[in-house]
Amino acid sequence: MISNLNAANAYNTARQLAAPAHAASSGTAGKLGDAAEEFAAQMARVDSVSTGALTGQVETHQLVQTIAEAELAMETVVAIRDKVVEAYQEILRMPV
């Protein structure tokens, strides 16, 4: 299970990947792919914990914690997407 510290570390890693200094480094695409896979795994955990809570196999506090972690992951992904769109729009505004 992911703790709040792990979620904060994942957010910090994603924030560093979105920074301009890492754009030129090799392996950035691989790191972004890993982050996307980790995000997909987090969403899958939410699904399984939700199902477990509905069937009575998972306690409520674990469900709430998992949903909070998923919310943090979603906010991180949305922030990264916003930065990518902003960078794309900046490139479109450049004179040719």
Side-chain angles (χ1 to χ4, degrees):
M1 185 167 70
I2 293 182
S3 68
N4 291 338
L5 181 60
N6 288 343
N9 286 337
Y11 171 75
N12 189 32
T13 301
R15 192 180 80 208
Q16 290 173 354
L17 288 174
H22 290 289
S25 67
S26 63
T28 300
K31 291 179 183 178
L32 286 174
D34 292 343
E37 289 176 6
E38 188 175 326
F39 175 73
Q42 174 67 29
M43 293 299 121
R45 276 191 294 278
V46 169
D47 287 342
S48 66
V49 170
S50 298
T51 303
L54 289 173
T55 59
Q57 298 172 348
V58 176
E59 294 183 21
T60 306
H61 69 85
Q62 185 179 0
L63 173 65
V64 171
Q65 182 178 4
T66 305
I67 290 173
E69 291 167 358
E71 183 179 5
L72 178 63
M74 182 63 76
E75 289 173 359
T76 303
V77 168
V78 169
I80 291 170
R81 183 213 53 196
D82 290 346
K83 288 291 185 180
V84 169
V85 169
E86 183 181 326
Y88 178 73
Q89 289 173 343
E90 184 79 20
I91 290 169
L92 287 178
R93 286 190 287 256
M94 288 182 175
V96 177

